[in-house]
Amino acid sequence: MAIVQPQPTAEDGRRRIRLDSPVDRHHLGDLEISTKAEVDAAVERARKAQQDWAARPVAERARILRNAVDVLVRRRDEIVDQVRAETGKPRVEALAIEIVPACDFVNFWCKRATKDLRDEKRRLHGYLAPMKKLRIRYQPLGVIGVITPWNAPFVLSLNPVVQALLAGNSVVLKPSEVTPRSGELAVKVLHEAGVPEDVVQVVHGDGETGAALVDGDVDKISFTGSVTTGRSIASACAKKLTPYTLELGGKDAMIVCADADLERAAAGAAYLSMFNTGQVCLSVERIYVVESVAEEFIRLLREKVIDLRYGSEDGDVGPLFFDRQVDVVSRHLEDAKKKGAQVLVGGSPADGEGLFFQPTVVVDANHEMELMTEETFGPVATVMRVRDEEEAVRMANDCQYGLGGSVFTQDKAKAERIAGRLNTGSVVHNDAAVIYGVPEAPFGGRKNSGVGQVNGLQSLRGFTHPQPILLSRFSSKKESIWYPYNADTIRNLDGLIRYGFGNKLLRKLLS
């Protein structure tokens, strides 16, 4: 957890950030904030280094980056310990959320890189095909600024950085000031794997540092974080016409159908709303249960949550990572109780010096409550009864966010039908949140949940400019349409229209 010092803490006048453990608030050290001049210098070094990096064959870049898996395996305990020091998350979650997908992502992207980034021959249709050939060359954009969050600080730093590097770019990473050392470790792993130091760099700080990176001489921004910050980045990028990808907040809905396996649904609701202490953009934050099975579902959910261990590093549910989240979760719960919600389990910060919050179950929720409309980002399972699946879909779509959703039913066809009606970036059947860990799947949100997509089979190309190169098949002095215009020019064009597009058979051949 980070606490920003309001005043400089050293004679040199530099701003620093105090880092405290969310488990017991002991001091972890201070973080020196990078100045704007230092950010600009890092970007300049990155630009100089990028040309040599891009000149290497894709296969060579992939070979270097694949070494990162060996480094990850060898240094996994160090990475886990650093992540846990800054977040307090259980060791199981540090391994499952940070290390396992990080290894998988690097393997996957390195395997795909040579295929996805090689020049592509694209067949032309119609009347130009006999005369022209089309090639697509995937050119690196240049310098990529990557700004990452505190909830999964290692893997959410490593994944976009590796994609950008494979595409031939250099990268300047600005990890969250809440978990700076965890993000920095991603860069150190890549350096040890063999990526040159200036090709991937890290700068540290808060919003001012992020703004300096966005305003710097970068060719794209990849941001994961809050809606408010995302809007500011979009506005700043628009002024310079800098492309960006924004992966923002969520308020994901879970629909429990009448035919759901209630044991699995309740177990899923408990875990998917509280793993990583509920601090996941894809966390289940709204649960819509069909009335006919609501009582049994709530009974099972209560049983599972009431047994969860918390309050220490060895528990099931870790602390909140950021002190401000305690206030957000508490405020949402107080608002819900005032408006008629009932807290069945938990509902308060835990005793002690750390940032632990009781695993909580809330029922009788409705859309008048912040708990059902604003991103809570805490260990809270919030249940609303609905008449039927039709109402569940309507209520799930009644939201400013649209990141992910889940449908619990034993009927796969029904799951697909409901999924097709949800205005979300992704939908998962009988599970949730796991979609980010599926690199084949494009991941991104609708509405206030973001702009653009990460992952997916086009992901590496998202860090490139697809440059079309149109080649002439034959050598000639000029094209038939070139000056000077004459009667033959008109006759040839008119013939193309009449016989090429007016004749159904020829039109089919030209399509």
Side-chain angles (χ1 to χ4, degrees):
M1 183 199 75
I3 302 175
V4 179
Q5 295 282 4
Q7 299 294 331
T9 58
E11 294 181 359
D12 60 8
R14 295 179 68 95
R15 290 196 306 134
R16 285 172 170 78
I17 292 175
R18 176 185 172 93
L19 303 174
D20 290 346
S21 165
V23 174
D24 57 14
R25 309 301 288 271
H26 77 268
H27 185 44
L28 298 174
D30 292 342
L31 180 74
E32 192 172 272
I33 294 179
S34 303
T35 65
K36 184 181 186 307
E38 289 169 335
V39 173
D40 290 342
V43 173
E44 184 178 356
R45 290 192 301 271
R47 187 162 300 285
K48 291 178 180 178
Q50 187 266 332
Q51 291 186 1
D52 287 341
W53 177 250
R56 301 187 188 211
V58 176
E60 182 181 344
R61 298 198 296 264
R63 178 184 56 77
I64 293 171
L65 286 162
R66 194 178 285 110
N67 294 335
V69 178
D70 295 329
V71 180
L72 278 166
V73 173
R74 185 170 64 252
R75 297 182 64 178
R76 64 188 183 280
D77 288 338
E78 175 191 351
I79 297 167
V80 165
D81 289 345
Q82 181 60 66
V83 168
R84 297 189 73 209
E86 291 184 322
T87 67
K89 66 176 67 179
R91 182 170 293 275
V92 169
E93 293 182 353
L95 288 167
I97 295 171
E98 308 282 358
I99 304 299
V100 172
C103 292
D104 188 53
F105 283 141
V106 175
N107 263 339
F108 182 83
W109 300 125
C110 288
K111 184 177 180 180
R112 288 203 61 90
T114 52
K115 177 182 178 182
D116 289 353
L117 297 171
R118 69 188 176 198
D119 290 359
E120 178 187 356
K121 297 178 182 179
R122 195 167 292 182
R123 186 176 180 180
L124 294 178
H125 81 289
Y127 67 95
L128 283 177
M131 298 173 284
K132 305 291 184 182
K133 296 187 293 186
L134 179 62
R135 301 288 185 268
I136 307 297
R137 178 161 295 168
Y138 293 96
Q139 296 180 324
L141 292 174
V143 180
I144 309 298
V146 177
I147 303 174
T148 55
W150 44 262
N151 58 328
F154 181 78
V155 70
L156 293 183
S157 295
L158 188 72
N159 188 34
V161 168
V162 166
Q163 293 178 35
L165 292 174
L166 281 168
N169 304 284
S170 56
V171 177
V172 178
L173 168 70
K174 204 294 283 187
S176 169
E177 70 272 26
V178 181
T179 52
R181 303 304 181 200
S182 299
E184 183 179 46
L185 265 177
V187 172
K188 291 182 176 180
V189 165
L190 295 172
H191 286 161
E192 188 171 336
V195 180
E197 287 195 5
D198 286 349
V199 170
V200 58
Q201 302 171 67
V202 63
V203 294
H204 284 300
D206 51 16
E208 289 186 22
T209 312
L213 182 58
V214 172
D215 291 336
D217 184 27
V218 296
D219 299 290
K220 181 175 182 177
I221 290 291
S222 171
F223 172 75
T224 305
S226 71
V227 175
T228 300
T229 303
R231 290 185 188 277
S232 297
I233 289 174
S235 178
C237 286
K239 293 177 182 177
K240 302 192 306 171
L241 298 181
T242 302
Y244 55 84
T245 300
L246 307 177
E247 197 278 278
L248 308 178
K251 192 72 180 174
D252 286 11
M254 170 179 171
I255 294 175
V256 182
C257 299
D259 68 338
D261 178 338
L262 295 183
E263 180 65 33
R264 178 178 177 86
Y271 177 76
L272 297 165
S273 63
M274 300 189 192
F275 83 103
N276 215 49
T277 323
Q279 298 163 123
V280 182
C281 57
L282 286 164
S283 177
V284 168
E285 295 216 358
R286 299 176 289 150
I287 305 170
Y288 299 100
V289 186
V290 172
E291 180 66 47
S292 60
V293 296
E295 285 297 330
E296 179 64 8
F297 172 83
I298 291 170
R299 183 187 70 79
L300 291 169
L301 175 61
R302 180 181 181 279
E303 286 180 358
K304 296 179 187 309
V305 173
I306 206 168
D307 289 335
L308 294 176
R309 298 167 298 140
Y310 66 97
S312 74
E313 292 181 287
D314 299 321
D316 300 310
V317 180
L320 294 165
F321 306 164
F322 197 11
D323 55 353
R324 296 176 189 173
Q325 282 308 116
V326 178
D327 297 333
V328 173
V329 177
S330 298
R331 186 181 74 247
H332 286 188
L333 286 169
E334 285 303 310
D335 174 75
K337 287 189 288 186
K338 288 178 182 178
K339 294 174 180 175
Q342 181 183 359
V343 177
L344 295 185
V345 182
S348 302
D351 296 333
E353 295 182 354
L355 300 181
F356 292 93
F357 203 99
Q358 297 171 344
T360 300
V361 176
V362 177
V363 297
D364 300 332
N366 61 58
H367 281 217
E368 298 298 317
M369 304 169 183
E370 292 178 345
L371 197 60
M372 292 292 282
T373 58
E374 301 291 336
E375 189 172 36
T376 302
F377 235 50
V380 184
T382 306
V383 181
M384 177 176 175
R385 301 167 185 254
V386 292
R387 288 189 308 274
D388 51 28
E389 291 143 12
E390 188 69 25
E391 185 180 19
V393 170
R394 181 170 61 82
M395 300 308 293
N397 284 334
D398 180 28
C399 185
Q400 62 176 310
Y401 300 99
L403 188 56
S406 57
V407 182
F408 280 71
T409 172
Q410 297 186 69
D411 184 341
K412 293 179 183 178
K414 179 192 290 185
E416 288 196 58
R417 289 196 302 271
I418 292 175
R421 299 176 60 198
L422 295 177
N423 298 327
T424 59
S426 60
V427 181
V428 180
H429 174 222
N430 287 344
D431 200 350
V434 70
I435 194 70
Y436 184 82
V438 180
E440 295 89 346
F443 178 77
R446 302 177 66 178
K447 296 186 273 191
N448 282 349
S449 287
V451 176
Q453 293 175 314
V454 299
N455 295 346
L457 301 184
Q458 297 295 315
S459 187
L460 297 179
R461 294 178 179 178
F463 288 101
T464 69
H465 170 71
Q467 182 191 51
I469 302 173
L470 196 62
L471 301 170
S472 295
R473 291 184 181 274
F474 309 106
S475 177
S476 62
K477 297 297 184 183
K478 71 182 189 72
E479 297 293 320
S480 62
I481 191 68
W482 291 3
Y483 297 133
Y485 296 152
N486 53 43
D488 287 341
T489 309
I490 296 174
R491 185 168 51 252
N492 290 338
L493 289 172
D494 191 59
L496 173 63
I497 295 168
R498 284 189 296 141
Y499 298 115
F501 297 103
N503 183 291
K504 291 183 179 180
L505 178 61
L506 287 176
R507 186 167 65 235
K508 184 176 181 181
L509 292 173
L510 289 172
S511 63

